[in-house]
């Protein structure tokens, strides 16, 4: 990926910083967010302008705006924000954008994406309204549970072991995803998301009851892989529930005969 | 969007007004209806020539014709009608088209689309045969109900508060969509659709029992967003029903600690 | 559609008649069968080389071959057969092709497609392995039934009233599709398909138990519309079964107040 | 398919053998694996970098690497290995690649693909994480079964009769797919896969409990056809289970009246 310019070059200080979202490189965050979101739309993750995605490149954060049809988004619709500048801001609730699109308003997801970037050093965060995620939170609600737990499914290997740990989860490991309750205003989820991050330091995702899921990763590749793997597991979990199959089982490891 | 010519320019009065559906702008209604319908076909909303869409641009109404394969529609298949001219017509049941396609007949959905435009000032109306919509009406039929009600699901925020109201519904609000009974002839639905609009002045959609749904909005963006959000909720509702989960719940709002 | 050459022009009698499948017109049957089958593959109708489609243009019948991956088919893979020549053949089981592809063998579906063309004057016949169709035959098998019956669903209007009848079925009409038992060899289905056509002269489709469905129409447009509508109804029927909803109901027609 | 160069031409011995994955022919294995995997991604078979595919062309084996997003794979990501050279290797667990991609690590699936090539002379092997496959293994686990068995479904004809046998299974034949237990490390599945091949010499697929399925065939066409047919049957089997329909039935063959 061609590194996008960080901060404001002298010759651009008077303009609207549109250069921050202009690149011929398909891997540039301003191009990648629209192409990713178009793909997510076909998966049913960002229906009806719901959901979104954000990419961090060093100090710069690229954000899909509010209310945009995700399969039609353009690079010129993207917001850009500096983490350093934001940290110096007097209010957590007020955000200063280096670059704003001419039409759309900022997404209410912004502080949640920022939490993944600042608290977990994530490089990408994806928010979906996948109905598999929503159904899992509803099934857990009936059980009075605030954790999604599943083990002994191969796809669990799609997740990293945790924050600043190397390697991935194993087949026999239990994947645990915390569930937080939804709030009337999406921004208000931030403190609960951060609480969940503190309580579950190794999680790469937080489910939001009756709403969807936030998934992050060290980079776009890892965030997308973890989000796909999680959606796969949510779908499987709902289908297992319909068939009366438990999500957690106690399986004795199969030991191969080491031949060489 | 380049505004299409309203009415008949002097130099065109003798021709067939084909210029009304000819534009290089992909956002022109005559181009947008086919591209939207092709997308809707992949979603299963307009299978087997069912369903349709109409866009209003000021006085001009653009309509998909009857019996066309929705993923293969062309701009030249589009009907155009003037609302003002229609209002002066002696009969509500007879319609005068400014421009007609050479092959197809007018859609029986036309008076239902017109109701959304004249009674609600809508800019776009979408009609789907989505089987999620049909299943919801069947489940409600078993319960003897004429209303789909759901609350405490994030995607409800995808709907406006109502006719001439600003802002959108909130997470805790209950979305209510009236259900009308199907009639042998689709045109005959019009009076029942209008009755439902009168009874539920803030609704942006009406379900038709064993048939599908009509969804509208102030413009194409809002109609599509509301139609996608509704289909998402219908699918979720059917899946909730299969899992024994209720559509309406009494949830105490989660109050965040305001930190700044 | 540019009419393809009927029979063998003098200057071509010595060649392999490849010109019969060569055309720049996307609506030419040799181009249309591959593009339709690619679309059907995405719908899950022709998975694993199953299913197929055939188009009749006057005396000439164009056929997908056996064992081809349906989303990868090319015009050069198409068989062409003359109905008149076939009628003069000594054996119903032996077929004389005007044009054969260099690689593939003829499809065992051929005599079933020919039955639709000769007994019903169809212009197109589609055979799918849609699992919705198979599930419907399995549900009916449990009920000891040889007929799929459904009424009071709008999509039923997607079907013509019947052979040599004008107009379509109405909302309150009951759509009846006969089910024949599967045979070890697909060709052997022919006599049972023809029996079903005789017993149900107005049907445009025959279900094959544990196998799929054959659907035809006067032309490609009607065959495709009826096939899509039927698959929609089969899916709806399976989902209704899962929700405990009956396929046949006694609904009193809703009568509108005629205002003008 | 243009046969790729086997072994190392003299003029290339010092380079990195990148020519082995460079071809303009879309049917070249290095091009075909990425295009197949992109298609499989849309089918949900290789979500979250799971699953994979390998093609053997005479002595050369082409392999998708570990951890690649399957819909984004490029020919330059492909590993190439010589079967003859591998056979001379001192350790089964150590593999010598003729060509390695600059970024990715070898896939843990490699020894399982090699088993299909060396023990069954397969030309292509596909590994999916399809959740239909996983659900089938979970349903069988509840029944204490290590075999998936289904009969009297037309799609069963999509499978060959078995290793070095000609012809395909018939409609009344019972398709039997063995299930092996999953291991913590995917490589460790190899000995159990090979055991299953020995015990079920005619199978073209092995299910892996809570993981997915390995499917192979004499060539790419046959492997893909068998993999699609199997996924179709797994989906059907899960839906049959949800509807309370048995997978194995005793059906008397329908005998046609031979007329000519």
């Amino acid at each position: 990926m061609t590194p996008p310019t960080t901060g404001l070059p002298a010759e651009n200080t008077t303009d609207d910083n549109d250069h921050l979202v202009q690149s011929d490189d398909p891997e540039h965050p301003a191009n990648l967010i629209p192409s990713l979101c178009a793909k997510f739309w076909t998966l049913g993750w960002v229906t009806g302008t719901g959901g979104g995605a954000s990419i961090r490149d060093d100090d710069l954060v690229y954000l899909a705006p509010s209310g945009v049809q995700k399969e039609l988004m353009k690079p010129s619709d993207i917001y850009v924000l500096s983490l350093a500048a934001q940290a110096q801001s007097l209010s957590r609730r007020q955000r200063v954008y280096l670059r704003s699109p001419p039409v759309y308003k900022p997404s209410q997801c912004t502080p949640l994406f920022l939490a993944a970037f600042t608290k977990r050093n994530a490089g990408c965060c994806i928010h979906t309204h996948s109905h598999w995620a929503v159904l899992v939170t509803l099934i857990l609600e009936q059980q009075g549970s605030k954790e999604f737990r599943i083990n002994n499914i191969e796809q669990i290997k799609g997740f990293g072991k945790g924050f600043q740990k190397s390697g991935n989860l194993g087949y026999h490991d239990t994947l645990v995803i915390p569930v937080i309750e939804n709030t009337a205003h999406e921004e208000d989820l931030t403190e609960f998301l951060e609480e969940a991050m503190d309580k579950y330091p190794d999680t790469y995702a937080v489910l939001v009851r009756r709403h969807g899921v936030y998934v992050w990763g060290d980079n776009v590749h890892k965030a997308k892989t973890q989000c796909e793997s999680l959606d796969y597991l949510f779908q499987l979990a709902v289908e297992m529930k319909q068939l009366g199959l438990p999500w957690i089982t106690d399986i004795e490891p199969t030991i191969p005969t080491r031949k060489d």
Side-chain angles (χ1 to χ4, degrees), chain A:
Chain A
M1 174 166 33
T2 308
T5 312
T6 308
L8 307 179
E11 68 273 24
N12 275 316
T13 41
T14 58
D15 78 5
D16 50 14
N17 280 319
D18 280 355
H19 70 283
L20 291 175
V21 296
Q22 292 164 344
S23 166
D24 292 333
D25 181 358
E27 299 296 310
H28 185 285
N31 295 326
L32 204 49
I33 290 175
S35 66
L36 281 172
C37 283
K39 191 178 281 188
F40 297 164
W41 186 85
T42 68
L43 297 172
W45 290 0
V46 291
T47 301
T49 83
S54 178
I55 295 174
R56 179 182 68 81
D57 188 20
D58 201 353
D59 178 58
L60 291 187
V61 173
Y62 298 80
L63 296 141
S66 177
V68 67
Q69 296 183 56
K70 293 297 185 297
E71 85 279 22
L72 303 177
M73 210 194 309
K74 297 184 298 293
S76 58
D77 299 335
I78 299 290
Y79 276 92
V80 188
L81 176 152
S82 153
L83 280 183
Q86 184 63 37
Q88 291 162 11
S89 165
L90 293 177
S91 161
R92 283 184 71 194
R93 291 192 163 261
Q94 197 178 333
R95 273 167 292 280
V96 192
Y97 293 98
L98 294 184
R99 194 268 166 183
S100 299
V103 182
Y104 296 103
K105 285 191 288 185
S107 168
Q108 285 221 346
C109 305
T110 302
L112 292 103
F113 292 144
L114 294 183
F117 300 148
T118 55
K119 285 182 77 80
R120 287 295 173 268
N121 203 28
C124 176
C125 187
I126 301 167
H127 171 42
T128 91
H129 284 195
S130 165
H131 60 105
W132 301 117
V134 174
L135 286 169
V136 161
T137 70
L138 290 166
I139 292 169
L140 289 168
E141 186 183 59
Q142 271 208 328
Q143 302 169 355
S145 171
K146 289 183 174 302
E147 276 182 359
F148 171 67
R149 301 174 76 92
I150 195 163
N151 68 359
N152 294 315
I153 301 289
E154 180 71 9
Q155 194 74 36
I156 289 168
K157 290 183 180 171
F159 295 84
K161 272 190 184 159
F163 184 48
Q164 295 179 331
K165 295 181 177 171
S166 67
N168 273 28
L169 290 180
Y171 167 65
H172 294 295
D173 289 334
T174 297
L175 177 73
V176 181
I177 308 288
V179 185
I180 61 175
E181 303 308 313
N182 201 25
T183 53
H185 302 285
E186 192 151 12
E187 288 207 336
D188 293 339
L189 285 172
T190 314
E191 79 172 78
F192 301 106
L193 185 85
E194 292 179 347
E195 268 178 32
M197 284 172 165
D198 291 340
K199 193 171 166 194
Y200 298 82
D202 287 329
T203 192
Y204 286 104
V206 172
L207 279 160
V208 185
R209 188 93 68 199
R210 298 173 166 273
H211 180 153
V213 69
Y214 281 84
V215 187
W216 57 90
D218 293 348
N219 50 45
V220 173
H221 171 86
K222 289 187 180 177
K224 177 173 174 285
T225 297
Q226 294 185 156
C227 196
E228 282 184 25
S229 295
L230 204 49
D231 203 58
Y232 170 102
L233 290 168
F234 291 155
Q235 178 175 1
L236 192 70
V238 172
E239 291 164 335
M240 288 171 80
K241 177 76 181 168
Q242 287 173 330
L243 289 160
L245 302 162
W247 297 347
I248 291 285
T249 47
D250 185 17
I251 289 179
E252 213 159 305
T254 304
I255 309 296
T257 324
R258 298 268 167 178
K259 288 185 181 161
D260 53 2

Short mmCIF file of all heavy atoms in Angstrom, two decimals, chain A residues 8 15-22 61-66 74-82 86 95-107 110:
data_model
loop_
_atom_site.label_atom_id
_atom_site.label_comp_id
_atom_site.label_asym_id
_atom_site.label_seq_id
_atom_site.Cartn_x
_atom_site.Cartn_y
_atom_site.Cartn_z
N LEU A 8 -0.78 17.47 7.20
CA LEU A 8 -1.09 18.44 6.15
C LEU A 8 0.19 18.99 5.53
O LEU A 8 0.92 19.73 6.18
CB LEU A 8 -1.89 19.59 6.74
CG LEU A 8 -3.14 19.21 7.52
CD1 LEU A 8 -3.80 20.46 8.07
CD2 LEU A 8 -4.09 18.43 6.64
N ASP A 15 -6.51 24.20 1.50
CA ASP A 15 -7.58 23.52 0.77
C ASP A 15 -8.36 22.58 1.69
O ASP A 15 -8.20 22.58 2.91
CB ASP A 15 -7.04 22.80 -0.47
CG ASP A 15 -6.36 21.50 -0.15
OD1 ASP A 15 -6.37 21.08 1.06
OD2 ASP A 15 -5.80 20.90 -1.05
N ASP A 16 -9.19 21.76 1.10
CA ASP A 16 -10.09 20.91 1.86
C ASP A 16 -9.51 19.51 2.07
O ASP A 16 -10.22 18.60 2.47
CB ASP A 16 -11.43 20.82 1.14
CG ASP A 16 -11.25 20.47 -0.32
OD1 ASP A 16 -10.13 20.04 -0.71
OD2 ASP A 16 -12.22 20.62 -1.08
N ASN A 17 -8.23 19.36 1.77
CA ASN A 17 -7.55 18.07 1.99
C ASN A 17 -8.16 16.92 1.20
O ASN A 17 -8.06 15.76 1.62
CB ASN A 17 -7.56 17.73 3.48
CG ASN A 17 -6.46 18.48 4.21
OD1 ASN A 17 -5.35 18.59 3.70
ND2 ASN A 17 -6.77 19.01 5.38
N ASP A 18 -8.76 17.22 0.06
CA ASP A 18 -9.32 16.15 -0.77
C ASP A 18 -8.24 15.18 -1.24
O ASP A 18 -8.52 14.02 -1.55
CB ASP A 18 -10.05 16.73 -1.99
CG ASP A 18 -11.45 17.21 -1.62
OD1 ASP A 18 -11.87 17.00 -0.46
OD2 ASP A 18 -12.12 17.78 -2.49
N HIS A 19 -6.99 15.67 -1.28
CA HIS A 19 -5.91 14.77 -1.71
C HIS A 19 -5.78 13.56 -0.78
O HIS A 19 -5.27 12.52 -1.17
CB HIS A 19 -4.57 15.52 -1.75
CG HIS A 19 -4.05 15.88 -0.40
ND1 HIS A 19 -4.56 16.92 0.35
CD2 HIS A 19 -3.09 15.31 0.36
CE1 HIS A 19 -3.92 16.98 1.51
NE2 HIS A 19 -3.03 16.02 1.54
N LEU A 20 -6.27 13.68 0.44
CA LEU A 20 -6.16 12.56 1.38
C LEU A 20 -6.99 11.35 0.97
O LEU A 20 -6.77 10.24 1.46
CB LEU A 20 -6.59 13.01 2.80
CG LEU A 20 -5.67 13.99 3.50
CD1 LEU A 20 -6.29 14.43 4.83
CD2 LEU A 20 -4.29 13.37 3.75
N VAL A 21 -7.97 11.58 0.10
CA VAL A 21 -8.82 10.45 -0.32
C VAL A 21 -8.67 10.19 -1.82
O VAL A 21 -9.51 9.52 -2.42
CB VAL A 21 -10.31 10.69 0.03
CG1 VAL A 21 -10.49 10.76 1.55
CG2 VAL A 21 -10.83 11.96 -0.63
N GLN A 22 -7.63 10.74 -2.42
CA GLN A 22 -7.42 10.55 -3.85
C GLN A 22 -6.16 9.75 -4.10
O GLN A 22 -5.06 10.18 -3.76
CB GLN A 22 -7.33 11.92 -4.54
CG GLN A 22 -8.66 12.67 -4.54
CD GLN A 22 -8.52 14.15 -4.86
OE1 GLN A 22 -7.41 14.70 -4.81
NE2 GLN A 22 -9.63 14.78 -5.18
N VAL A 61 -7.03 8.09 10.28
CA VAL A 61 -8.17 7.18 10.33
C VAL A 61 -9.15 7.56 9.21
O VAL A 61 -9.54 8.72 9.10
CB VAL A 61 -8.87 7.26 11.70
CG1 VAL A 61 -10.16 6.46 11.70
CG2 VAL A 61 -7.94 6.77 12.80
N TYR A 62 -9.49 6.57 8.40
CA TYR A 62 -10.43 6.76 7.29
C TYR A 62 -11.76 6.13 7.67
O TYR A 62 -11.79 4.98 8.12
CB TYR A 62 -9.89 6.08 6.02
CG TYR A 62 -8.59 6.67 5.56
CD1 TYR A 62 -7.39 6.32 6.18
CD2 TYR A 62 -8.56 7.59 4.53
CE1 TYR A 62 -6.18 6.88 5.78
CE2 TYR A 62 -7.35 8.16 4.11
CZ TYR A 62 -6.18 7.81 4.74
OH TYR A 62 -4.99 8.36 4.35
N LEU A 63 -12.85 6.90 7.47
CA LEU A 63 -14.16 6.47 7.98
C LEU A 63 -15.25 6.60 6.94
O LEU A 63 -15.36 7.65 6.27
CB LEU A 63 -14.54 7.35 9.18
CG LEU A 63 -13.66 7.28 10.42
CD1 LEU A 63 -13.49 8.67 11.02
CD2 LEU A 63 -14.24 6.32 11.44
N ALA A 64 -16.07 5.54 6.81
CA ALA A 64 -17.28 5.66 6.01
C ALA A 64 -18.22 6.64 6.72
O ALA A 64 -18.28 6.66 7.95
CB ALA A 64 -17.95 4.30 5.86
N PRO A 65 -18.97 7.44 5.97
CA PRO A 65 -19.86 8.42 6.60
C PRO A 65 -21.18 7.79 7.02
O PRO A 65 -21.42 6.60 6.79
CB PRO A 65 -20.10 9.43 5.48
CG PRO A 65 -20.07 8.60 4.24
CD PRO A 65 -19.05 7.51 4.49
N SER A 66 -22.04 8.58 7.62
CA SER A 66 -23.36 8.13 8.03
C SER A 66 -24.31 8.12 6.84
O SER A 66 -24.21 8.96 5.93
CB SER A 66 -23.90 9.09 9.10
OG SER A 66 -25.20 8.72 9.46
N LYS A 74 -18.29 6.08 -2.51
CA LYS A 74 -17.17 6.51 -3.33
C LYS A 74 -16.04 7.02 -2.42
O LYS A 74 -16.31 7.45 -1.29
CB LYS A 74 -17.61 7.64 -4.27
CG LYS A 74 -18.69 7.23 -5.27
CD LYS A 74 -19.04 8.35 -6.23
CE LYS A 74 -19.60 9.59 -5.54
NZ LYS A 74 -20.93 9.38 -4.94
N PRO A 75 -14.80 6.99 -2.90
CA PRO A 75 -13.68 7.52 -2.09
C PRO A 75 -13.95 8.95 -1.60
O PRO A 75 -13.57 9.30 -0.49
CB PRO A 75 -12.50 7.48 -3.06
CG PRO A 75 -12.82 6.36 -3.99
CD PRO A 75 -14.31 6.38 -4.17
N SER A 76 -14.66 9.74 -2.41
CA SER A 76 -14.90 11.12 -2.02
C SER A 76 -15.91 11.24 -0.87
O SER A 76 -16.11 12.33 -0.33
CB SER A 76 -15.42 11.92 -3.22
OG SER A 76 -16.59 11.34 -3.72
N ASP A 77 -16.53 10.11 -0.48
CA ASP A 77 -17.47 10.13 0.65
C ASP A 77 -16.77 9.92 1.99
O ASP A 77 -17.42 9.97 3.05
CB ASP A 77 -18.52 9.01 0.49
CG ASP A 77 -19.36 9.15 -0.77
OD1 ASP A 77 -19.50 10.28 -1.26
OD2 ASP A 77 -19.87 8.12 -1.26
N ILE A 78 -15.46 9.70 1.96
CA ILE A 78 -14.74 9.25 3.16
C ILE A 78 -14.30 10.44 4.04
O ILE A 78 -13.81 11.45 3.54
CB ILE A 78 -13.49 8.44 2.73
CG1 ILE A 78 -13.89 7.21 1.93
CG2 ILE A 78 -12.63 8.05 3.94
CD1 ILE A 78 -14.57 6.13 2.69
N TYR A 79 -14.48 10.27 5.35
CA TYR A 79 -13.92 11.19 6.34
C TYR A 79 -12.49 10.77 6.68
O TYR A 79 -12.16 9.58 6.68
CB TYR A 79 -14.73 11.14 7.64
CG TYR A 79 -15.96 12.01 7.65
CD1 TYR A 79 -17.18 11.50 7.25
CD2 TYR A 79 -15.90 13.33 8.08
CE1 TYR A 79 -18.33 12.28 7.27
CE2 TYR A 79 -17.03 14.13 8.11
CZ TYR A 79 -18.24 13.61 7.70
OH TYR A 79 -19.36 14.39 7.72
N VAL A 80 -11.63 11.75 7.03
CA VAL A 80 -10.29 11.45 7.52
C VAL A 80 -10.05 12.24 8.81
O VAL A 80 -10.43 13.42 8.90
CB VAL A 80 -9.20 11.81 6.49
CG1 VAL A 80 -7.83 11.30 6.96
CG2 VAL A 80 -9.53 11.23 5.12
N LEU A 81 -9.44 11.58 9.75
CA LEU A 81 -9.24 12.14 11.09
C LEU A 81 -7.83 11.79 11.56
O LEU A 81 -7.30 10.73 11.24
CB LEU A 81 -10.31 11.50 11.98
CG LEU A 81 -10.43 11.72 13.46
CD1 LEU A 81 -11.91 11.53 13.86
CD2 LEU A 81 -9.60 10.72 14.24
N SER A 82 -7.20 12.67 12.32
CA SER A 82 -5.87 12.39 12.87
C SER A 82 -6.02 11.95 14.32
O SER A 82 -6.61 12.66 15.14
CB SER A 82 -5.00 13.64 12.79
OG SER A 82 -4.02 13.63 13.81
N GLN A 86 -6.93 14.26 17.52
CA GLN A 86 -8.11 13.92 18.31
C GLN A 86 -7.77 13.79 19.79
O GLN A 86 -8.54 14.19 20.65
CB GLN A 86 -8.71 12.60 17.77
CG GLN A 86 -10.02 12.19 18.44
CD GLN A 86 -11.14 13.20 18.20
OE1 GLN A 86 -11.23 13.77 17.13
NE2 GLN A 86 -11.96 13.42 19.20
N ARG A 95 -15.28 15.76 17.46
CA ARG A 95 -14.19 15.27 16.62
C ARG A 95 -13.84 16.28 15.55
O ARG A 95 -14.70 16.95 15.00
CB ARG A 95 -14.55 13.92 16.00
CG ARG A 95 -14.19 12.77 16.96
CD ARG A 95 -14.78 11.49 16.55
NE ARG A 95 -16.22 11.49 16.70
CZ ARG A 95 -16.90 11.31 17.84
NH1 ARG A 95 -16.24 11.09 18.96
NH2 ARG A 95 -18.20 11.36 17.87
N VAL A 96 -12.53 16.38 15.33
CA VAL A 96 -12.02 17.32 14.33
C VAL A 96 -11.55 16.50 13.13
O VAL A 96 -10.62 15.69 13.26
CB VAL A 96 -10.85 18.13 14.90
CG1 VAL A 96 -10.53 19.29 13.95
CG2 VAL A 96 -11.16 18.61 16.30
N TYR A 97 -12.20 16.71 11.99
CA TYR A 97 -11.85 15.94 10.80
C TYR A 97 -10.88 16.71 9.92
O TYR A 97 -11.07 17.91 9.67
CB TYR A 97 -13.11 15.58 10.01
CG TYR A 97 -13.99 14.64 10.78
CD1 TYR A 97 -15.09 15.10 11.51
CD2 TYR A 97 -13.71 13.27 10.80
CE1 TYR A 97 -15.88 14.23 12.24
CE2 TYR A 97 -14.50 12.39 11.54
CZ TYR A 97 -15.58 12.87 12.25
OH TYR A 97 -16.34 12.01 12.98
N LEU A 98 -9.83 16.04 9.48
CA LEU A 98 -8.90 16.64 8.52
C LEU A 98 -9.60 16.86 7.18
O LEU A 98 -9.32 17.80 6.46
CB LEU A 98 -7.69 15.74 8.29
CG LEU A 98 -6.74 15.51 9.45
CD1 LEU A 98 -5.56 14.67 8.98
CD2 LEU A 98 -6.25 16.85 9.98
N ARG A 99 -10.48 15.92 6.86
CA ARG A 99 -11.15 15.97 5.58
C ARG A 99 -12.57 15.45 5.75
O ARG A 99 -12.78 14.41 6.39
CB ARG A 99 -10.40 15.08 4.57
CG ARG A 99 -10.79 15.29 3.13
CD ARG A 99 -11.90 14.35 2.68
NE ARG A 99 -12.48 14.79 1.41
CZ ARG A 99 -13.49 14.20 0.83
NH1 ARG A 99 -14.06 13.14 1.37
NH2 ARG A 99 -13.99 14.67 -0.29
N SER A 100 -13.53 16.20 5.22
CA SER A 100 -14.93 15.79 5.33
C SER A 100 -15.54 15.74 3.93
O SER A 100 -15.20 16.55 3.07
CB SER A 100 -15.72 16.81 6.17
OG SER A 100 -15.20 16.87 7.48
N PRO A 101 -16.45 14.80 3.69
CA PRO A 101 -17.13 14.76 2.39
C PRO A 101 -18.13 15.91 2.29
O PRO A 101 -18.61 16.41 3.32
CB PRO A 101 -17.83 13.41 2.41
CG PRO A 101 -18.02 13.09 3.85
CD PRO A 101 -16.89 13.74 4.59
N PRO A 102 -18.46 16.35 1.08
CA PRO A 102 -19.34 17.51 0.94
C PRO A 102 -20.78 17.22 1.36
O PRO A 102 -21.51 18.13 1.74
CB PRO A 102 -19.26 17.83 -0.56
CG PRO A 102 -18.76 16.59 -1.22
CD PRO A 102 -17.94 15.86 -0.20
N VAL A 103 -21.21 15.97 1.32
CA VAL A 103 -22.64 15.67 1.52
C VAL A 103 -22.95 15.04 2.88
O VAL A 103 -23.80 15.51 3.62
CB VAL A 103 -23.14 14.71 0.41
CG1 VAL A 103 -24.63 14.45 0.60
CG2 VAL A 103 -22.86 15.28 -0.97
N TYR A 104 -22.25 13.99 3.23
CA TYR A 104 -22.68 13.16 4.35
C TYR A 104 -22.20 13.67 5.71
O TYR A 104 -21.20 14.36 5.80
CB TYR A 104 -22.17 11.73 4.16
CG TYR A 104 -22.76 11.06 2.96
CD1 TYR A 104 -22.02 10.91 1.79
CD2 TYR A 104 -24.07 10.57 2.99
CE1 TYR A 104 -22.56 10.28 0.68
CE2 TYR A 104 -24.61 9.96 1.88
CZ TYR A 104 -23.86 9.82 0.73
OH TYR A 104 -24.39 9.20 -0.36
N LYS A 105 -22.92 13.25 6.76
CA LYS A 105 -22.55 13.55 8.13
C LYS A 105 -21.65 12.45 8.68
O LYS A 105 -21.64 11.33 8.17
CB LYS A 105 -23.81 13.69 8.99
CG LYS A 105 -24.55 15.00 8.75
CD LYS A 105 -25.63 15.25 9.79
CE LYS A 105 -26.81 14.31 9.61
NZ LYS A 105 -27.92 14.59 10.52
N PRO A 106 -20.90 12.73 9.75
CA PRO A 106 -20.04 11.68 10.34
C PRO A 106 -20.89 10.54 10.89
O PRO A 106 -22.03 10.74 11.32
CB PRO A 106 -19.33 12.40 11.49
CG PRO A 106 -19.46 13.85 11.20
CD PRO A 106 -20.75 14.02 10.46
N SER A 107 -20.33 9.35 10.88
CA SER A 107 -21.02 8.18 11.39
C SER A 107 -20.99 8.16 12.91
O SER A 107 -19.97 8.52 13.52
CB SER A 107 -20.34 6.92 10.87
OG SER A 107 -20.81 5.79 11.56
N THR A 110 -18.16 6.28 14.74
CA THR A 110 -16.79 6.80 14.79
C THR A 110 -16.10 6.55 16.13
O THR A 110 -14.99 5.98 16.16
CB THR A 110 -16.78 8.29 14.41
OG1 THR A 110 -17.34 8.40 13.10
CG2 THR A 110 -15.38 8.85 14.41
#
